Amino acid sequence: MEQCSFCKIEKLENDFYMYSIHNMTRGRVQKGYVCKRCSDMTYGDKWYPIIGYDEKCEISNHGSVRELRENRYFNITRVQNAGTSYVYLTKNGKSMRKNIGPLMKRFCTER
Ligand SMILES: [Zn+2]
Protein backbone atom coordinates (compact mmCIF):
# COMPACT_ATOMS: atom_id res chain seq x y z
CA MET A 1 0.00 0.00 0.00
CA GLU A 2 1.04 3.60 -0.64
CA GLN A 3 -0.04 6.82 1.08
CA CYS A 4 -1.63 9.96 -0.36
CA SER A 5 0.86 12.82 0.09
CA PHE A 6 -1.88 15.04 1.54
CA CYS A 7 -4.53 13.08 3.46
CA LYS A 8 -2.36 9.99 4.10
CA ILE A 9 -5.13 7.65 3.01
CA GLU A 10 -3.71 4.26 1.99
CA LYS A 11 -4.45 2.75 -1.39
CA LEU A 12 -2.93 0.33 -3.81
CA GLU A 13 -0.36 2.00 -6.04
CA ASN A 14 -2.62 1.69 -9.09
CA ASP A 15 -5.61 3.33 -7.38
CA PHE A 16 -4.20 6.84 -7.04
CA TYR A 17 -5.19 9.68 -9.33
CA MET A 18 -1.96 11.68 -9.61
CA TYR A 19 1.66 10.57 -9.42
CA SER A 20 4.94 12.38 -9.20
CA ILE A 21 8.57 11.40 -9.50
CA HIS A 22 11.34 13.49 -7.99
CA ASN A 23 14.97 12.80 -8.72
CA MET A 24 16.84 13.37 -5.48
CA THR A 25 20.55 13.57 -4.78
CA ARG A 26 22.75 10.51 -5.28
CA GLY A 27 20.36 9.02 -7.84
CA ARG A 28 17.61 8.45 -5.30
CA VAL A 29 14.09 8.64 -6.71
CA GLN A 30 11.15 9.73 -4.59
CA LYS A 31 7.66 8.84 -5.75
CA GLY A 32 4.54 10.69 -4.71
CA TYR A 33 0.90 9.59 -4.73
CA VAL A 34 -2.21 11.77 -4.51
CA CYS A 35 -5.84 10.66 -4.32
CA LYS A 36 -8.54 12.14 -6.54
CA ARG A 37 -10.09 14.25 -3.77
CA CYS A 38 -6.79 15.84 -2.74
CA SER A 39 -5.83 16.36 -6.37
CA ASP A 40 -9.06 18.23 -7.10
CA MET A 41 -8.57 20.44 -4.04
CA THR A 42 -4.86 21.09 -4.46
CA TYR A 43 -4.09 20.91 -8.15
CA GLY A 44 -7.50 21.96 -9.51
CA ASP A 45 -10.47 20.10 -10.90
CA LYS A 46 -10.63 21.53 -14.43
CA TRP A 47 -7.97 20.52 -16.92
CA TYR A 48 -7.23 21.97 -20.35
CA PRO A 49 -5.02 20.41 -23.02
CA ILE A 50 -1.67 22.07 -23.73
CA ILE A 51 -1.27 21.94 -27.47
CA GLY A 52 1.86 22.20 -29.60
CA TYR A 53 4.37 20.22 -27.51
CA ASP A 54 5.71 16.69 -27.70
CA GLU A 55 4.29 15.69 -24.31
CA LYS A 56 0.64 14.99 -23.75
CA CYS A 57 -0.04 17.57 -21.05
CA GLU A 58 -2.91 19.39 -19.43
CA ILE A 59 -2.98 22.53 -17.29
CA SER A 60 -5.50 23.05 -14.51
CA ASN A 61 -7.53 26.00 -13.31
CA HIS A 62 -5.18 26.10 -10.28
CA GLY A 63 -2.06 26.30 -12.43
CA SER A 64 -0.76 22.75 -12.24
CA VAL A 65 0.51 20.80 -15.21
CA ARG A 66 0.11 17.07 -15.54
CA GLU A 67 1.48 14.76 -18.18
CA LEU A 68 -0.23 11.58 -19.32
CA ARG A 69 2.24 8.71 -19.48
CA GLU A 70 1.28 5.05 -19.67
CA ASN A 71 -2.30 5.81 -18.60
CA ARG A 72 -1.18 7.70 -15.50
CA TYR A 73 -1.17 11.38 -14.70
CA PHE A 74 2.15 12.74 -13.49
CA ASN A 75 2.33 16.14 -11.87
CA ILE A 76 5.28 17.80 -13.60
CA THR A 77 4.85 21.28 -12.09
CA ARG A 78 8.01 22.68 -10.47
CA VAL A 79 7.98 25.49 -7.94
CA GLN A 80 10.81 27.97 -7.53
CA ASN A 81 11.85 29.38 -4.17
CA ALA A 82 10.11 32.67 -4.91
CA GLY A 83 6.88 30.80 -5.58
CA THR A 84 6.96 30.98 -9.38
CA SER A 85 5.78 27.76 -10.98
CA TYR A 86 7.11 26.40 -14.22
CA VAL A 87 7.38 23.23 -16.26
CA TYR A 88 9.73 21.80 -18.82
CA LEU A 89 8.03 21.03 -22.12
CA THR A 90 9.57 19.58 -25.23
CA LYS A 91 9.00 20.80 -28.76
CA ASN A 92 10.58 18.91 -31.66
CA GLY A 93 12.92 17.24 -29.18
CA LYS A 94 14.05 20.53 -27.62
CA SER A 95 13.35 21.04 -23.91
CA MET A 96 11.96 24.43 -22.95
CA ARG A 97 11.19 26.00 -19.61
CA LYS A 98 7.71 27.49 -19.53
CA ASN A 99 6.25 29.63 -16.78
CA ILE A 100 2.79 28.67 -15.59
CA GLY A 101 1.20 32.13 -15.85
CA PRO A 102 1.43 32.51 -19.65
CA LEU A 103 0.43 28.86 -20.14
CA MET A 104 -2.74 29.45 -18.09
CA LYS A 105 -3.56 32.59 -20.08
CA ARG A 106 -3.16 30.67 -23.29
CA PHE A 107 -4.81 27.34 -22.54
CA CYS A 108 -7.31 27.81 -19.68
CA THR A 109 -10.03 29.02 -21.95
CA GLU A 110 -12.87 29.27 -19.41
CA ARG A 111 -12.53 30.31 -15.79
ZN1 LIG B 1 -5.64 12.29 -0.38
Side-chain angles (χ1 to χ4, degrees):
M1 301 287 268
E2 303 293 345
Q3 275 191 343
C4 172
S5 303
F6 295 100
C7 68
K8 307 296 178 201
I9 194 174
E10 292 200 339
K11 289 172 180 288
L12 293 173
E13 187 176 357
N14 286 334
D15 291 343
F16 284 95
Y17 181 75
M18 190 81 82
Y19 300 83
S20 63
I21 296 177
H22 297 288
N23 294 315
M24 314 295 281
T25 50
R26 284 186 292 244
R28 222 159 47 83
V29 172
Q30 191 181 344
K31 294 183 182 179
Y33 306 90
V34 177
C35 72
K36 170 86 165 77
R37 195 172 137 267
C38 293
S39 176
D40 283 356
M41 287 194 310
T42 310
Y43 301 132
D45 57 357
K46 287 200 172 72
W47 295 88
Y48 306 90
I50 294 179
I51 301 154
Y53 296 93
D54 299 349
E55 295 94 349
K56 201 170 179 185
C57 290
E58 292 177 321
I59 186 164
S60 77
N61 54 334
H62 286 196
S64 291
V65 176
R66 67 186 184 186
E67 181 183 354
L68 184 63
R69 287 204 302 255
E70 292 156 12
N71 290 317
R72 276 188 188 180
Y73 291 122
F74 286 86
N75 182 7
I76 59 167
T77 320
R78 296 162 185 242
V79 182
Q80 235 174 12
N81 294 336
T84 320
S85 303
Y86 62 97
V87 287
Y88 283 105
L89 296 174
T90 311
K91 198 174 204 166
N92 303 322
K94 193 173 165 235
S95 180
M96 286 182 284
R97 183 186 151 140
K98 292 280 172 187
N99 286 334
I100 293 293
L103 285 177
M104 282 184 83
K105 277 207 185 95
R106 191 161 153 212
F107 295 109
C108 296
T109 43
E110 32 163 323
R111 254 161 269 179

